Amino acid sequence: MSTLTINLERLKADLLSLFEIGYDKDSKGVTRLGFTEKDNLARKWLCERFEHEGFWAEIDPAGNVVGRRDKARPKQVVATGSHIDTVISGGMFDGTLGVLAGLEVLRVLRDNDITPSTPLEVYAFAEEEGRFGGMMGVQALIGELTPDWLMTAKDVNGIMLKDEMASCGLDPIGALEARVDPGYFKSYIELHIEQGPVLDTLKKPIGVVESISGVYKWIVRLIGKSNHAGTAPMNMRSDAFMGLANFANEIPRIIAEEGSDKSRLTVGKVDLKPGHAHTVPGEVEFTLVGRDVDGEVMRSLADSCRKVLSAIARKHNLMFEFEQMSWLEPQPMSNDIISLIAEQTNTLGYPYEHMPSGAGHDAQHMAKVTDAGMIFVPSINGISHAPDEWTHWQDIEKGANVLLNSLLKLAR
């Protein structure tokens, strides 16, 4: 059993087929934002793939796709999966690899007439990319959602979660019913692309994840006064953009003084108002995302960002305000699962690297209710969340083989 291997051609066909849903020929990327039409089509496609293989699948009240071999619900499962929603113009493998590799594991066990004593269950968690803050699907599963959040959550463009869920035929408050008894999960393993350059640089096909970085997301506003770009003297302006530029220049210092080599601060989306070439911008709204693998370091980064933004606002005669969209604490992986993944990787003869994850994943929430772990495969040049995201098929195969044998060991 320890030398079972997946069928790469089947997995490849699934990955290429799902990539077509939301693919844009101009950007060469795929866009399936959480609870949009394309995301809903992908959920239905996935259910059909499970059913085509003779398996059972459903979409739960939170929009998660759940698949397993038989319809009858077992007392306990070994779970695997990831997500199938994407960022704007994302790549082929982010999230989808973990879900479709889980489907392939079910096929391999069926083809080899193996029925584990603990059944396997595959999840495509809804809204992992954080369009509305957090990771809604997996948080629903472990009981972290509240009615207030479900009815008030919105994306950076002000679109309400409740409206988008309704457009997909889902009742927002009904998402609370997706909660599963934590004892239902014996363990959880997630296969994912690294989304960073470490494995590609080291030329190692497998990463054994030891911990997942925490992440917080703010929407920040610096509010000044719009004015004529030709008549307003430079020293008499309340220029919101100058405040943002000043803050961006301070980010390396904030990390050097308050952070670590694992710290990240990113301004990812900027909206200048009124946005005219000949008008001094009176307001800027931007996202700020902070990350680290240590919760205290995250809090130090956040405190420093607040102080620096306040000081910059005073310097440029601006008003500063921010809204915290989400805060996810760092999460260590299970030592038992870490050891198991390393053992199976050794058995298969693949080189590997113990490493942290700088990106957030569904596994960090599953780790709150069960033993959880993650397997990484390389991202070429460290690129992800972009059309040129790529992982060699040979590494896809290796990662899926490690997942297969690790899950089988847990389920026996």
Side-chain angles (χ1 to χ4, degrees):
M1 290 185 179
S2 62
T3 56
L4 281 180
T5 58
I6 61 103
N7 183 324
L8 179 60
E9 292 306 312
R10 282 192 307 208
L11 178 54
K12 185 190 300 186
D14 284 342
L15 287 162
L16 291 169
S17 181
L18 182 53
F19 187 56
E20 294 176 4
I21 301 176
Y23 176 75
D24 180 75
K25 63 180 181 180
D26 294 323
S27 71
K28 310 299 183 187
V30 61
T31 301
R32 293 191 299 266
L33 299 181
F35 296 117
T36 57
E37 178 187 6
K38 298 299 184 183
D39 180 45
N40 206 33
L41 285 173
R43 274 194 289 272
K44 293 176 180 178
W45 174 92
L46 182 59
C47 286
E48 290 171 359
R49 289 304 301 151
F50 275 98
E51 292 163 1
H52 174 76
E53 297 291 344
F55 304 139
W56 174 87
E58 71 167 357
I59 299 172
D60 78 6
N64 300 313
V65 177
V66 187
R68 58 179 178 261
R69 190 163 181 172
D70 301 307
K71 181 177 181 179
R73 185 173 181 178
K75 294 181 179 179
Q76 191 177 50
V77 297
V78 170
T80 190
S82 194
H83 62 97
I84 57 175
D85 65 313
T86 75
V87 297
I88 296 173
S89 296
M92 181 187 299
F93 300 118
D94 179 12
T96 61
L97 172 59
V99 175
L100 296 176
L103 170 59
E104 174 58 17
V105 168
L106 287 181
R107 288 188 293 222
V108 172
L109 298 186
R110 176 201 61 195
D111 294 348
N112 287 273
D113 197 26
I114 297 172
T115 303
S117 56
T118 304
L120 298 180
E121 200 160 69
V122 181
Y123 284 84
F125 295 110
E127 225 294 272
E128 188 271 355
E129 290 292 359
R131 177 186 175 191
F132 298 97
M135 298 179 186
M136 186 210 141
V138 68
Q139 288 180 283
L141 199 72
I142 67 172
E144 285 191 343
L145 299 187
T146 65
D148 176 67
W149 184 86
L150 287 163
M151 298 306 292
T152 60
K154 60 183 182 295
D155 69 10
V156 295
N157 296 311
I159 299 174
M160 303 298 293
L161 167 65
K162 63 180 182 179
D163 295 333
E164 293 291 80
M165 289 188 70
S167 72
C168 295
L170 295 166
D171 172 18
I173 295 300
L176 299 170
E177 299 173 12
R179 182 184 178 272
V180 173
D181 184 342
Y184 183 64
F185 299 108
K186 180 181 178 183
S187 53
Y188 173 82
I189 300 182
E190 182 171 349
L191 172 63
H192 207 283
I193 58 172
E194 181 195 343
Q195 300 181 281
V198 175
L199 293 176
D200 187 45
T201 300
L202 296 175
K203 304 305 178 188
K204 292 184 178 181
I206 300 295
V208 181
V209 177
E210 296 182 314
S211 61
I212 298 177
S213 174
V215 57
Y216 65 87
K217 180 180 179 181
W218 291 356
I219 294 180
V220 181
R221 297 176 191 87
L222 296 173
I223 303 167
K225 179 69 175 175
S226 297
N227 211 331
H228 194 292
T231 61
M234 297 300 291
N235 64 343
M236 296 183 183
R237 297 182 177 192
S238 297
D239 187 333
F241 175 73
M242 291 303 291
L244 169 58
N246 198 168
F247 174 69
N249 190 56
E250 290 292 304
I251 286 177
R253 182 186 65 78
I254 293 172
I255 290 178
E257 293 181 358
E258 305 292 342
S260 70
D261 62 338
K262 305 296 191 302
S263 297
R264 308 286 188 268
L265 288 171
T266 304
V267 174
K269 184 179 186 295
V270 176
D271 183 17
L272 279 176
K273 299 176 181 178
H276 299 151
H278 298 287
T279 303
V280 176
E283 181 177 344
V284 60
E285 181 177 282
F286 60 94
T287 59
L288 176 64
V289 174
R291 302 174 188 268
D292 200 88
V293 296
D294 184 297
E296 287 303 315
V297 173
M298 278 180 63
R299 283 179 274 279
S300 294
L301 290 171
D303 288 343
S304 183
C305 286
R306 275 195 295 266
K307 292 174 183 177
V308 169
L309 282 163
S310 293
I312 287 171
R314 290 192 297 272
K315 175 182 176 182
H316 293 281
N317 196 27
L318 306 169
M319 183 173 70
F320 157 55
E321 60 185 33
F322 78 97
E323 180 180 1
Q324 184 165 287
M325 301 296 288
S326 59
W327 184 287
L328 301 176
E329 287 287 330
Q331 181 65 56
M333 296 291 94
S334 161
N335 288 329
D336 289 341
I337 303 296
I338 290 170
S339 297
L340 171 66
I341 293 171
E343 173 191 314
Q344 296 305 311
T345 307
N346 269 326
T347 299
L348 290 162
Y350 305 148
Y352 66 92
E353 182 76 9
H354 285 284
M355 61 190 302
S357 171
H361 298 286
D362 295 300
Q364 71 194 86
H365 290 287
M366 291 296 287
K368 299 173 186 177
V369 297
T370 191
D371 286 340
M374 288 196 75
I375 302 162
F376 274 172
V377 289
S379 295
I380 302 305
N381 297 319
I383 296 171
S384 182
H385 280 193
D388 50 346
E389 169 187 289
W390 188 250
T391 296
H392 292 309
W393 293 117
Q394 297 96 323
D395 291 332
I396 294 291
E397 183 176 25
K398 289 182 175 68
N401 282 334
V402 174
L403 177 70
L404 165 64
N405 287 280
S406 297
L407 289 173
L408 184 55
K409 184 80 171 181
L410 288 168
R412 283 202 292 215

